[in-house]
Amino acid sequence: MKIFAPYFMLSLLFWNTVYAQHTKIRITGMVVTKNGIKVLANLKFTSLKDTSFVKIVSTDKEGNYVLEGFPQGNFKVVVNAVGYKMVEETFQSFAGKTDMDLSFNLEAGVKELESVVVAGRKALIERHNDKTVMNVENSIVATGNTALEILAKMPGVSVNQDGIISIKGKSGANVLIDGKSTYLSAEQLATRLRSLNSNEIKMIELMTNPSSRYDAEGNAGILNIKLKKNTSYGTNGSIDLGFGYGKNAKSDAGISINHRDKNVNIFGSFANNNNKANEDLDILRIAKGADQDTYFHQYNTQIRSTHNNNYKAGIDYFINEKNTLGFLTTGYFNNGHDSSNGGTAIGQNFTKVDSSIIADNPAKNKYRNQAYNLNYKSVLDTLGQEFSIDLDYAKYHSEENTLYQNFFFDQNGSNYKSPTIFRNATPSFIKIKAAKIDYTLPLNATTKLDLGLKSSWVSTDNDFQFENLIGTDWKNDVNRSNHFIYDENINAAYTTLKHEFKSTSVEIGLRMEQTNSKGNSINDNKIVKRSYFDFFPSFSFNQTLNPNHEIGFSYSRRIDRPDYKSLNPFVYFVDLYTFSQGNPFLNPQYTNAFQLSYNYKKTLNISLGYSITNNLIIDVLLPENEKKTLYQTVKNLDKQYAYDLTIGYPTAITKFWSMDNTLTSTYNQIKTSNLDNGGYDRKKVNFMINSSHTFTLSPTTAAELSGEYASSQIYGTYAIKPYYGIDFGLKKSFFDKKLNVKLAANDVLNSRKARISSALSGLDYNLTQKQETRVYRLSLNYIFGSSSVKGTRERKTSVTDEEGRIK
């Protein structure tokens, strides 16, 4: 393998560990009351130029603190102490000045212990120059929702009925969990996100133009789901219970516990949710014939029952103030079963039925995951020089078994031929190994260099088994069964350089990735091998014009590799007239994305984006005219052009009523020469409005109202009609906010449903899909134990991006 660049970068990790820093300042001070009473407090120092530079220090029992080796520049300090009002000040440290005194007098006030940084409730939506943040833990209407349902409420994000995630009208979102790739296909990722409950989620970050530090996967951007972490000393935790009802009952429960002292942090959590949900599908389709058209009315009701269990356990050992060794294991074991009953009416028109098929298709499934992470982090000095290593191993096992029972009736309702009964089993095994090294070097107070290496190895084994019932025996159908093995190795290296001028920040980056893959369809004797090397540059620029006005610009080049399931050529039946099939000859797609942004008074945010994607990977629904069937597959289309405009504006209507509105408008055009009898060119302007309202009724009572509206849009070969929905919730806290009770109603109007028709000229169908979305939920959360706050340790494993491609 030719990966000289990564080894060259590895040598750079160490050349400047002895770099002479220009300024080292010693800051000392005391925190006392106005009456001279000494206070135990936490102080957080943040650079006004680079918010990633953070230093946290605590006072001793005499109220004193010392901070060594502090750089020059402009900083903000926030002082928090239990029972006292928060103090926030800015200051400047000067070159050549070796000692500074910063002391503070605190006033008695209300108890503020939720965070060492911010007293009060965070906004539901926060907009930064490089990302949008949704604070899920502050949302009432998210109560009891799954991660997939919460993503659908995030501004600019849409989730279709099959769980496919799009950002600003573009597919190809890379979903991370705590900065880690999931390596899952779209279907498996949807299953994973459906098992993750809102009680486990702290926030979701949306980055449409991430830097080279992140894997290049994800042309639409990155969604990072950050789970809750306990940040308190002592022994503490929380208990969650939830109940819901729509057409069926739902429940969730969870417990987390944490013990932290000076040298060790031990933590663990377990969560369970049980969900039974309805889904109704109705398709009206006309199959064109040479002499006569055939009309199909396909209908189906599916009841899906799932039982999901997630767990996490880990330990961080603080070797000393600068070195930490950590071990983390996570996993889930989920089981479910489906009952699916429906049929197909066939005739010369939709009112005259010549024959019909009644289908009963029960299914069982199970999903297992176990992942391990070993992490070492070293803080080399007080100026922010850091070095970290992550080693990861993960394995997935999924199995889905479906029985298809089809009974045939004539126009009089009599059986006219023997039933067709078959079954399939889809066991899938995935193993992932990954390693990464990250190094951060502040060259001075205004310049920072990041370097890193990563390698991942993924192996998937899918043995699709198709059997027909002949008499009383099951016989394997060798023409429909298939064994598919896929192996992939990606080696990457990256560097970013960020510099802060007086009112300008600039970051440039470059990521290099080498990919080696081999797909082997054993039954069909098809082997596809690829090896390629790519460069992914990134650039961002931010200019503060004055305290009220700020502009920014960013660019990145990104890649989306086909997920492992899409490469598998086996045929999967939905019913006798509808099936899906993979494509082993898919190529990666590449996107160049640009974004211009404007921020007014840190509130009004406007961004304008443009991207062009080559070799677009997208799902298409096509007719097979000879058999009068529909099949879904994945194809490479020539190009997609995308423009987007996003306007976000939070505002306070009154002292108790705050509102946040987001308008996202997109213009997407897909052009290709290999679809719709030669040429396909579809373009569409659409928009989405998200509005959330928070009402603080008292210090312990709050309400939330939110909703969205999406206009019609074109997605691949699908023409999607408008949809909308409204959610409402109430929250009441008791016992000094240790017990929190939430009541939420999702999709109050029961209006969220998919209505889809064909964007292809030669295909005529109308599809309506309605899931059980109107659900009422009650949630209880109880917090117990110590509440002495300590800053948490953030950790990202090395398998963040690969997991997002498992399906």
Side-chain angles (χ1 to χ4, degrees):
M1 294 183 296
K2 297 180 180 180
I3 49 174
F4 302 113
Y7 289 110
F8 173 72
M9 291 184 64
L10 182 61
S11 66
L12 291 178
L13 292 174
F14 305 101
W15 74 269
N16 43 21
T17 56
V18 295
Y19 183 89
Q21 306 295 331
H22 296 299
T23 306
K24 290 186 177 181
I25 301 168
R26 183 174 185 265
I27 298 179
T28 60
M30 176 180 290
V31 180
V32 297
T33 69
K34 291 186 175 181
N35 297 326
I37 299 175
K38 299 163 185 175
V39 177
L40 181 64
N42 293 302
L43 299 91
K44 179 180 178 181
F45 295 82
T46 306
S47 170
L48 296 179
K49 292 293 184 182
D50 180 8
T51 55
S52 64
F53 177 87
V54 177
K55 295 295 178 184
I56 298 175
V57 65
S58 299
T59 60
D60 59 22
K61 62 182 181 180
E62 299 298 322
N64 298 310
Y65 75 92
V66 178
L67 198 57
E68 301 281 0
F70 205 82
Q72 65 175 348
N74 296 309
F75 298 90
K76 177 180 74 173
V77 57
V78 177
V79 185
N80 270 281
V82 178
Y84 297 91
K85 292 182 180 179
M86 181 189 72
V87 172
E88 180 177 322
E89 293 185 7
T90 59
F91 68 95
Q92 185 174 18
S93 57
F94 297 95
K97 187 173 182 178
T98 58
D99 289 283
M100 288 184 65
D101 177 77
L102 284 176
S103 295
F104 302 91
N105 293 325
L106 302 187
E107 295 182 11
V110 296
K111 294 179 71 175
E112 298 174 319
L113 197 58
E114 294 298 322
S115 169
V116 298
V117 181
V118 179
R121 190 177 181 211
K122 286 185 179 179
L124 179 61
I125 303 296
E126 295 179 353
R127 297 174 180 84
H128 306 275
N129 294 328
D130 57 344
K131 61 187 175 184
T132 300
V133 177
M134 182 179 186
N135 292 303
V136 177
E137 63 181 349
N138 291 344
S139 174
I140 304 172
V141 299
T143 298
N145 283 196
T146 67
L148 195 64
E149 292 169 326
I150 296 169
L151 283 173
K153 303 177 191 297
M154 191 165 186
V157 179
S158 60
V159 180
N160 72 12
Q161 301 289 308
D162 297 320
I164 307 301
I165 301 168
S166 300
I167 300 175
K168 297 182 178 180
K170 296 188 296 181
S171 60
N174 188 10
V175 179
L176 317 181
I177 298 178
D178 275 338
K180 298 177 285 185
S181 293
T182 55
Y183 298 92
L184 299 171
S185 70
E187 288 182 2
Q188 289 175 320
L189 177 61
T191 299
R192 172 73 177 103
L193 296 178
R194 287 189 183 106
S195 72
L196 191 61
N197 193 270
S198 63
N199 296 327
E200 304 171 71
I201 302 172
K202 178 180 176 65
M203 66 177 64
I204 300 175
E205 298 175 326
L206 167 60
M207 293 168 277
T208 54
N209 251 5
S211 75
S212 299
R213 185 181 185 95
Y214 293 91
D215 283 12
E217 192 81 23
N219 89 96
I222 289 176
L223 286 162
N224 183 25
I225 300 173
K226 302 184 75 171
L227 304 182
K228 291 181 180 178
K229 296 181 176 66
N230 198 306
T231 60
S232 300
Y233 270 126
T235 302
N236 44 73
S238 65
I239 298 174
D240 293 283
L241 292 173
F243 308 92
Y245 195 85
K247 291 183 177 180
N248 303 277
K250 302 127 190 350
S251 67
D252 59 87
I255 183 171
S256 66
I257 192 164
N258 185 84
H259 175 78
R260 182 165 186 164
D261 57 29
K262 182 178 180 181
N263 297 317
V264 176
N265 184 35
I266 303 173
F267 54 92
S269 65
F270 179 83
N272 165 269
N273 72 68
N274 300 284
N275 186 32
K276 186 177 182 181
N278 275 56
E279 180 180 294
D280 295 316
L281 176 68
D282 192 274
I283 304 174
L284 296 173
R285 178 169 66 91
I286 304 174
K288 302 294 182 182
D291 300 322
Q292 183 176 335
D293 295 341
T294 305
Y295 290 73
F296 293 85
H297 180 196
Q298 297 167 251
Y299 51 93
N300 183 74
T301 295
Q302 182 183 65
I303 301 177
R304 174 175 295 176
S305 298
T306 57
H307 312 281
N308 304 314
N309 303 275
N310 301 312
Y311 60 89
K312 177 173 66 175
I315 182 171
D316 289 325
Y317 175 62
F318 305 100
I319 302 170
N320 51 43
E321 291 183 354
K322 295 184 178 181
N323 296 279
T324 305
L325 182 65
F327 174 78
L328 174 69
T329 180
T330 60
Y332 57 82
F333 52 99
N334 306 332
N335 299 296
H337 62 271
D338 301 342
S339 66
S340 179
N341 297 283
T344 302
I346 307 169
Q348 299 175 23
N349 55 55
F350 290 126
T351 59
K352 184 178 181 180
V353 176
D354 297 328
S355 63
S356 61
I357 304 171
I358 302 300
D360 179 13
N361 305 330
K364 292 183 178 180
N365 53 69
K366 65 178 182 179
Y367 308 94
R368 302 288 186 266
N369 162 243
Q370 183 72 55
Y372 307 91
N373 168 256
L374 183 65
N375 169 268
Y376 170 73
K377 181 177 180 179
S378 179
V379 180
L380 303 178
D381 57 30
T382 59
L383 299 176
Q385 188 177 192
E386 295 181 352
F387 175 76
S388 66
I389 300 176
D390 278 280
L391 302 175
D392 287 270
Y393 174 76
K395 58 182 180 180
Y396 295 84
H397 173 214
S398 66
E399 189 163 343
E400 300 174 357
N401 299 279
T402 306
L403 174 65
Y404 297 88
Q405 303 173 100
N406 300 278
F407 305 92
F408 302 89
F409 300 89
D410 59 23
Q411 58 185 345
N412 299 317
S414 302
N415 291 102
Y416 70 89
K417 73 173 185 176
S418 300
T420 297
I421 300 176
F422 57 92
R423 67 184 184 185
N424 59 39
T426 57
S428 176
F429 298 88
I430 301 172
K431 292 183 179 180
I432 302 167
K433 295 179 287 185
K436 73 182 180 79
I437 299 173
D438 294 299
Y439 177 62
T440 298
L441 175 68
L443 302 178
N444 53 48
T446 59
T447 307
K448 182 175 70 173
L449 177 70
D450 286 304
L451 302 165
L453 298 169
K454 177 184 175 181
S455 288
S456 64
W457 299 264
V458 179
S459 175
T460 72
D461 189 331
N462 299 278
D463 190 5
F464 181 79
Q465 302 164 19
F466 191 106
E467 295 179 327
N468 295 305
L469 182 63
I470 301 176
T472 58
D473 298 323
W474 289 102
K475 301 293 185 181
N476 180 48
D477 189 332
V478 295
N479 294 319
R480 293 176 173 176
S481 298
N482 187 51
H483 191 184
F484 182 73
I485 297 175
Y486 181 80
D487 296 293
E488 180 184 83
N489 163 236
I490 299 175
N491 302 294
Y494 77 87
T495 181
T496 64
L497 181 66
K498 185 173 183 178
H499 182 74
E500 299 281 352
F501 298 93
K502 183 177 181 181
S503 58
T504 308
S505 65
V506 178
E507 180 177 322
I508 58 174
L510 178 65
R511 188 176 188 92
M512 296 160 284
E513 293 189 352
Q514 182 209 29
T515 304
N516 306 288
S517 66
K518 178 183 178 182
N520 184 5
S521 179
I522 295 175
N523 294 38
D524 297 334
N525 195 27
K526 294 179 181 177
I527 296 178
V528 179
K529 296 179 67 175
R530 290 192 175 94
S531 182
Y532 48 94
F533 193 92
D534 288 307
F535 293 88
F536 301 98
S538 65
F539 172 79
S540 68
F541 165 88
N542 195 76
Q543 175 70 49
T544 301
L545 304 176
N546 57 49
N548 292 334
H549 302 277
E550 192 174 318
I551 59 172
F553 173 79
S554 62
Y555 161 78
S556 67
R557 182 175 188 259
R558 307 193 64 75
I559 185 175
D560 279 293
R561 301 172 181 88
D563 64 64
Y564 314 124
K565 185 177 179 180
S566 296
L567 293 167
N568 193 336
F570 71 72
V571 175
Y572 182 86
F573 281 86
V574 178
D575 57 39
L576 289 181
Y577 288 94
T578 314
F579 63 92
S580 63
Q581 184 173 17
N583 180 1
F585 302 104
L586 285 172
N587 291 311
Q589 68 178 22
Y590 295 88
T591 298
N592 288 281
F594 307 81
Q595 182 169 290
L596 182 66
S597 62
Y598 166 73
N599 191 287
Y600 175 68
K601 288 188 175 181
K602 302 294 183 182
T603 53
L604 174 64
N605 186 277
I606 303 174
S607 67
L608 180 65
Y610 167 74
S611 68
I612 179 172
T613 300
N614 296 303
N615 289 331
L616 175 68
I617 300 173
I618 199 161
D619 289 332
V620 294
L621 189 62
L622 302 172
E624 194 174 77
N625 294 322
E626 184 177 339
K627 296 181 180 180
K628 298 184 177 181
T629 59
L630 279 178
Y631 72 97
Q632 184 183 51
T633 189
V634 187
K635 292 179 69 70
N636 282 117
L637 305 185
D638 293 343
K639 292 182 184 296
Q640 180 185 46
Y641 304 92
Y643 302 83
D644 65 83
L645 171 66
T646 303
I647 303 174
Y649 185 60
T651 183
I653 306 299
T654 66
K655 290 183 178 180
F656 67 89
W657 178 11
S658 61
M659 176 175 63
D660 189 287
N661 297 310
T662 304
L663 169 66
T664 304
S665 180
T666 63
Y667 171 83
N668 290 326
Q669 180 182 16
I670 295 176
K671 295 182 67 174
T672 190
S673 59
N674 60 350
L675 197 65
D676 202 12
N677 297 319
Y680 181 81
D681 186 352
R682 297 292 184 274
K683 55 182 79 70
K684 182 74 173 179
V685 176
N686 73 287
F687 64 91
M688 175 183 286
I689 298 174
N690 297 82
S691 184
S692 64
H693 305 254
T694 303
F695 306 90
T696 305
L697 306 179
S698 75
T700 59
T701 308
E704 184 180 331
L705 176 68
S706 66
E708 83 283 345
Y709 173 83
S711 69
S712 60
Q713 59 181 296
I714 297 291
Y715 176 80
T717 61
Y718 304 106
I720 303 173
K721 294 179 174 60
Y723 68 89
Y724 62 95
I726 294 175
D727 306 309
F728 178 73
L730 286 169
K731 176 184 176 181
K732 177 70 175 179
S733 299
F734 304 89
F735 309 123
D736 197 22
K737 296 187 178 181
K738 289 186 176 293
L739 176 63
N740 298 285
V741 181
K742 297 179 183 178
L743 179 64
N746 295 123
D747 197 11
V748 176
L749 303 177
N750 200 27
S751 56
R752 292 188 178 112
K753 62 182 177 181
R755 295 178 298 151
I756 300 170
S757 59
S758 176
L760 290 172
S761 58
L763 184 57
D764 187 353
Y765 69 85
N766 284 280
L767 179 152
T768 301
Q769 193 173 15
K770 182 70 178 77
Q771 295 180 341
E772 185 180 332
T773 54
R774 182 160 63 186
V775 178
Y776 302 93
R777 302 179 189 271
L778 174 66
S779 175
L780 308 175
N781 168 259
Y782 179 69
I783 302 170
F784 62 88
S786 172
S787 56
S788 176
V789 180
K790 175 68 176 178
T792 188
R793 185 170 90 96
E794 295 289 341
R795 188 194 310 185
K796 294 181 181 180
T797 73
S798 55
V799 297
T800 301
D801 298 299
E802 290 78 1
E803 291 180 325
R805 293 169 51 220
I806 298 175
K807 288 187 178 178

